PDB file of all heavy atoms in Angstrom:
ATOM      1  N   SER B  20       5.679  15.906  13.627  1.00 90.00           N
ATOM      2  CA  SER B  20       4.528  15.517  14.457  1.00 90.00           C
ATOM      3  C   SER B  20       3.210  15.561  13.688  1.00 90.00           C
ATOM      4  O   SER B  20       2.191  16.053  14.188  1.00 90.00           O
ATOM      5  CB  SER B  20       4.441  16.420  15.695  1.00 90.00           C
ATOM      6  OG  SER B  20       5.609  16.323  16.460  1.00 90.00           O
ATOM      7  N   THR B  21       3.217  15.057  12.486  1.00 93.00           N
ATOM      8  CA  THR B  21       2.022  15.087  11.643  1.00 93.00           C
ATOM      9  C   THR B  21       1.722  13.686  11.123  1.00 93.00           C
ATOM     10  O   THR B  21       2.627  12.966  10.708  1.00 93.00           O
ATOM     11  CB  THR B  21       2.210  16.044  10.455  1.00 93.00           C
ATOM     12  OG1 THR B  21       2.492  17.358  10.959  1.00 93.00           O
ATOM     13  CG2 THR B  21       0.970  16.095   9.578  1.00 93.00           C
ATOM     14  N   THR B  22       0.454  13.355  11.170  1.00 95.00           N
ATOM     15  CA  THR B  22       0.014  12.084  10.610  1.00 95.00           C
ATOM     16  C   THR B  22      -0.438  12.310   9.171  1.00 95.00           C
ATOM     17  O   THR B  22      -1.244  13.205   8.896  1.00 95.00           O
ATOM     18  CB  THR B  22      -1.134  11.483  11.435  1.00 95.00           C
ATOM     19  OG1 THR B  22      -0.663  11.197  12.746  1.00 95.00           O
ATOM     20  CG2 THR B  22      -1.647  10.193  10.800  1.00 95.00           C
ATOM     21  N   TYR B  23       0.082  11.506   8.277  1.00 97.00           N
ATOM     22  CA  TYR B  23      -0.246  11.605   6.857  1.00 97.00           C
ATOM     23  C   TYR B  23      -1.017  10.365   6.416  1.00 97.00           C
ATOM     24  O   TYR B  23      -0.799   9.269   6.929  1.00 97.00           O
ATOM     25  CB  TYR B  23       1.023  11.747   6.022  1.00 97.00           C
ATOM     26  CG  TYR B  23       1.729  13.063   6.223  1.00 97.00           C
ATOM     27  CD1 TYR B  23       2.699  13.208   7.222  1.00 97.00           C
ATOM     28  CD2 TYR B  23       1.434  14.171   5.442  1.00 97.00           C
ATOM     29  CE1 TYR B  23       3.345  14.414   7.419  1.00 97.00           C
ATOM     30  CE2 TYR B  23       2.076  15.380   5.630  1.00 97.00           C
ATOM     31  CZ  TYR B  23       3.036  15.501   6.623  1.00 97.00           C
ATOM     32  OH  TYR B  23       3.664  16.707   6.814  1.00 97.00           O
ATOM     33  N   THR B  24      -1.887  10.574   5.441  1.00 98.00           N
ATOM     34  CA  THR B  24      -2.650   9.469   4.860  1.00 98.00           C
ATOM     35  C   THR B  24      -2.338   9.375   3.373  1.00 98.00           C
ATOM     36  O   THR B  24      -2.537  10.339   2.624  1.00 98.00           O
ATOM     37  CB  THR B  24      -4.160   9.659   5.046  1.00 98.00           C
ATOM     38  OG1 THR B  24      -4.463   9.725   6.439  1.00 98.00           O
ATOM     39  CG2 THR B  24      -4.941   8.505   4.422  1.00 98.00           C
ATOM     40  N   ALA B  25      -1.836   8.216   2.970  1.00 98.00           N
ATOM     41  CA  ALA B  25      -1.575   7.958   1.553  1.00 98.00           C
ATOM     42  C   ALA B  25      -2.737   7.142   0.992  1.00 98.00           C
ATOM     43  O   ALA B  25      -3.268   6.256   1.662  1.00 98.00           O
ATOM     44  CB  ALA B  25      -0.275   7.196   1.380  1.00 98.00           C
ATOM     45  N   THR B  26      -3.135   7.468  -0.244  1.00 98.00           N
ATOM     46  CA  THR B  26      -4.261   6.770  -0.863  1.00 98.00           C
ATOM     47  C   THR B  26      -3.950   6.427  -2.315  1.00 98.00           C
ATOM     48  O   THR B  26      -3.502   7.281  -3.081  1.00 98.00           O
ATOM     49  CB  THR B  26      -5.535   7.640  -0.835  1.00 98.00           C
ATOM     50  OG1 THR B  26      -5.845   7.991   0.525  1.00 98.00           O
ATOM     51  CG2 THR B  26      -6.722   6.889  -1.437  1.00 98.00           C
ATOM     52  N   VAL B  27      -4.198   5.169  -2.656  1.00 98.00           N
ATOM     53  CA  VAL B  27      -4.174   4.746  -4.054  1.00 98.00           C
ATOM     54  C   VAL B  27      -5.629   4.546  -4.441  1.00 98.00           C
ATOM     55  O   VAL B  27      -6.327   3.719  -3.851  1.00 98.00           O
ATOM     56  CB  VAL B  27      -3.383   3.437  -4.241  1.00 98.00           C
ATOM     57  CG1 VAL B  27      -3.407   3.008  -5.705  1.00 98.00           C
ATOM     58  CG2 VAL B  27      -1.952   3.601  -3.747  1.00 98.00           C
ATOM     59  N   LYS B  28      -6.087   5.305  -5.418  1.00 97.00           N
ATOM     60  CA  LYS B  28      -7.504   5.289  -5.751  1.00 97.00           C
ATOM     61  C   LYS B  28      -7.887   4.098  -6.627  1.00 97.00           C
ATOM     62  O   LYS B  28      -7.153   3.696  -7.522  1.00 97.00           O
ATOM     63  CB  LYS B  28      -7.896   6.590  -6.449  1.00 97.00           C
ATOM     64  CG  LYS B  28      -7.810   7.811  -5.547  1.00 97.00           C
ATOM     65  CD  LYS B  28      -8.346   9.046  -6.237  1.00 97.00           C
ATOM     66  CE  LYS B  28      -8.301  10.254  -5.312  1.00 97.00           C
ATOM     67  NZ  LYS B  28      -8.816  11.473  -5.978  1.00 97.00           N
ATOM     68  N   GLY B  29      -9.069   3.546  -6.332  1.00 95.00           N
ATOM     69  CA  GLY B  29      -9.616   2.450  -7.111  1.00 95.00           C
ATOM     70  C   GLY B  29     -10.832   2.891  -7.896  1.00 95.00           C
ATOM     71  O   GLY B  29     -11.145   4.080  -7.964  1.00 95.00           O
ATOM     72  N   GLY B  30     -11.528   1.953  -8.491  1.00 91.00           N
ATOM     73  CA  GLY B  30     -12.726   2.277  -9.251  1.00 91.00           C
ATOM     74  C   GLY B  30     -12.415   2.745 -10.665  1.00 91.00           C
ATOM     75  O   GLY B  30     -11.274   2.731 -11.122  1.00 91.00           O
ATOM     76  N   ALA B  31     -13.460   3.195 -11.350  1.00 87.00           N
ATOM     77  CA  ALA B  31     -13.339   3.573 -12.757  1.00 87.00           C
ATOM     78  C   ALA B  31     -12.327   4.678 -13.002  1.00 87.00           C
ATOM     79  O   ALA B  31     -11.685   4.707 -14.053  1.00 87.00           O
ATOM     80  CB  ALA B  31     -14.708   3.978 -13.295  1.00 87.00           C
ATOM     81  N   SER B  32     -12.176   5.584 -12.043  1.00 91.00           N
ATOM     82  CA  SER B  32     -11.246   6.707 -12.220  1.00 91.00           C
ATOM     83  C   SER B  32      -9.929   6.478 -11.494  1.00 91.00           C
ATOM     84  O   SER B  32      -9.131   7.399 -11.346  1.00 91.00           O
ATOM     85  CB  SER B  32     -11.894   8.009 -11.721  1.00 91.00           C
ATOM     86  OG  SER B  32     -12.227   7.909 -10.348  1.00 91.00           O
ATOM     87  N   GLY B  33      -9.688   5.253 -11.041  1.00 94.00           N
ATOM     88  CA  GLY B  33      -8.476   4.952 -10.291  1.00 94.00           C
ATOM     89  C   GLY B  33      -7.426   4.238 -11.123  1.00 94.00           C
ATOM     90  O   GLY B  33      -7.472   4.236 -12.356  1.00 94.00           O
ATOM     91  N   VAL B  34      -6.464   3.623 -10.434  1.00 96.00           N
ATOM     92  CA  VAL B  34      -5.400   2.912 -11.130  1.00 96.00           C
ATOM     93  C   VAL B  34      -5.938   1.628 -11.750  1.00 96.00           C
ATOM     94  O   VAL B  34      -6.879   1.026 -11.233  1.00 96.00           O
ATOM     95  CB  VAL B  34      -4.225   2.590 -10.178  1.00 96.00           C
ATOM     96  CG1 VAL B  34      -3.595   3.868  -9.642  1.00 96.00           C
ATOM     97  CG2 VAL B  34      -4.682   1.703  -9.019  1.00 96.00           C
ATOM     98  N   LYS B  35      -5.330   1.207 -12.867  1.00 93.00           N
ATOM     99  CA  LYS B  35      -5.770   0.000 -13.568  1.00 93.00           C
ATOM    100  C   LYS B  35      -4.553  -0.821 -13.970  1.00 93.00           C
ATOM    101  O   LYS B  35      -3.468  -0.287 -14.192  1.00 93.00           O
ATOM    102  CB  LYS B  35      -6.582   0.365 -14.798  1.00 93.00           C
ATOM    103  CG  LYS B  35      -7.870   1.116 -14.497  1.00 93.00           C
ATOM    104  CD  LYS B  35      -8.599   1.457 -15.775  1.00 93.00           C
ATOM    105  CE  LYS B  35      -9.926   2.144 -15.473  1.00 93.00           C
ATOM    106  NZ  LYS B  35      -9.753   3.438 -14.831  1.00 93.00           N
ATOM    107  N   ASP B  36      -4.771  -2.129 -14.078  1.00 91.00           N
ATOM    108  CA  ASP B  36      -3.674  -2.991 -14.520  1.00 91.00           C
ATOM    109  C   ASP B  36      -3.540  -2.921 -16.038  1.00 91.00           C
ATOM    110  O   ASP B  36      -4.297  -2.217 -16.727  1.00 91.00           O
ATOM    111  CB  ASP B  36      -3.853  -4.424 -14.010  1.00 91.00           C
ATOM    112  CG  ASP B  36      -5.049  -5.141 -14.626  1.00 91.00           C
ATOM    113  OD1 ASP B  36      -5.576  -4.678 -15.657  1.00 91.00           O
ATOM    114  OD2 ASP B  36      -5.458  -6.172 -14.069  1.00 91.00           O
ATOM    115  N   ALA B  37      -2.584  -3.658 -16.576  1.00 89.00           N
ATOM    116  CA  ALA B  37      -2.295  -3.593 -18.004  1.00 89.00           C
ATOM    117  C   ALA B  37      -3.462  -4.070 -18.858  1.00 89.00           C
ATOM    118  O   ALA B  37      -3.571  -3.711 -20.033  1.00 89.00           O
ATOM    119  CB  ALA B  37      -1.052  -4.414 -18.312  1.00 89.00           C
ATOM    120  N   ALA B  38      -4.359  -4.885 -18.277  1.00 86.00           N
ATOM    121  CA  ALA B  38      -5.516  -5.390 -19.017  1.00 86.00           C
ATOM    122  C   ALA B  38      -6.736  -4.484 -18.857  1.00 86.00           C
ATOM    123  O   ALA B  38      -7.799  -4.769 -19.416  1.00 86.00           O
ATOM    124  CB  ALA B  38      -5.862  -6.800 -18.550  1.00 86.00           C
ATOM    125  N   GLY B  39      -6.593  -3.410 -18.074  1.00 86.00           N
ATOM    126  CA  GLY B  39      -7.703  -2.477 -17.884  1.00 86.00           C
ATOM    127  C   GLY B  39      -8.563  -2.749 -16.673  1.00 86.00           C
ATOM    128  O   GLY B  39      -9.573  -2.071 -16.455  1.00 86.00           O
ATOM    129  N   ASN B  40      -8.192  -3.744 -15.861  1.00 90.00           N
ATOM    130  CA  ASN B  40      -8.951  -4.021 -14.643  1.00 90.00           C
ATOM    131  C   ASN B  40      -8.574  -2.997 -13.569  1.00 90.00           C
ATOM    132  O   ASN B  40      -7.387  -2.736 -13.340  1.00 90.00           O
ATOM    133  CB  ASN B  40      -8.644  -5.430 -14.120  1.00 90.00           C
ATOM    134  CG  ASN B  40      -8.948  -6.492 -15.151  1.00 90.00           C
ATOM    135  OD1 ASN B  40     -10.075  -6.592 -15.622  1.00 90.00           O
ATOM    136  ND2 ASN B  40      -7.946  -7.270 -15.530  1.00 90.00           N
ATOM    137  N   ALA B  41      -9.568  -2.433 -12.923  1.00 92.00           N
ATOM    138  CA  ALA B  41      -9.323  -1.395 -11.924  1.00 92.00           C
ATOM    139  C   ALA B  41      -9.138  -1.982 -10.527  1.00 92.00           C
ATOM    140  O   ALA B  41      -9.695  -3.044 -10.204  1.00 92.00           O
ATOM    141  CB  ALA B  41     -10.482  -0.409 -11.901  1.00 92.00           C
ATOM    142  N   LEU B  42      -8.342  -1.300  -9.714  1.00 95.00           N
ATOM    143  CA  LEU B  42      -8.292  -1.600  -8.288  1.00 95.00           C
ATOM    144  C   LEU B  42      -9.714  -1.469  -7.768  1.00 95.00           C
ATOM    145  O   LEU B  42     -10.395  -0.484  -8.056  1.00 95.00           O
ATOM    146  CB  LEU B  42      -7.359  -0.601  -7.596  1.00 95.00           C
ATOM    147  CG  LEU B  42      -7.025  -0.823  -6.121  1.00 95.00           C
ATOM    148  CD1 LEU B  42      -6.095  -2.020  -5.962  1.00 95.00           C
ATOM    149  CD2 LEU B  42      -6.357   0.428  -5.546  1.00 95.00           C
ATOM    150  N   VAL B  43     -10.206  -2.452  -7.035  1.00 94.00           N
ATOM    151  CA  VAL B  43     -11.631  -2.474  -6.680  1.00 94.00           C
ATOM    152  C   VAL B  43     -12.017  -1.298  -5.796  1.00 94.00           C
ATOM    153  O   VAL B  43     -13.000  -0.599  -6.057  1.00 94.00           O
ATOM    154  CB  VAL B  43     -11.993  -3.806  -5.996  1.00 94.00           C
ATOM    155  CG1 VAL B  43     -13.454  -3.785  -5.539  1.00 94.00           C
ATOM    156  CG2 VAL B  43     -11.751  -4.974  -6.934  1.00 94.00           C
ATOM    157  N   ASN B  44     -11.254  -1.064  -4.739  1.00 96.00           N
ATOM    158  CA  ASN B  44     -11.559   0.017  -3.793  1.00 96.00           C
ATOM    159  C   ASN B  44     -10.310   0.858  -3.536  1.00 96.00           C
ATOM    160  O   ASN B  44      -9.184   0.421  -3.806  1.00 96.00           O
ATOM    161  CB  ASN B  44     -12.057  -0.559  -2.463  1.00 96.00           C
ATOM    162  CG  ASN B  44     -13.333  -1.352  -2.602  1.00 96.00           C
ATOM    163  OD1 ASN B  44     -14.318  -0.855  -3.130  1.00 96.00           O
ATOM    164  ND2 ASN B  44     -13.319  -2.598  -2.148  1.00 96.00           N
TER     165      ASN B  44
END
């Protein structure tokens, strides 16, 4: 009975693609 929130972080300190582009938000 618990609500969970999953987050993938964006921005300079977040995940980036192989070319170095970051997830925007």
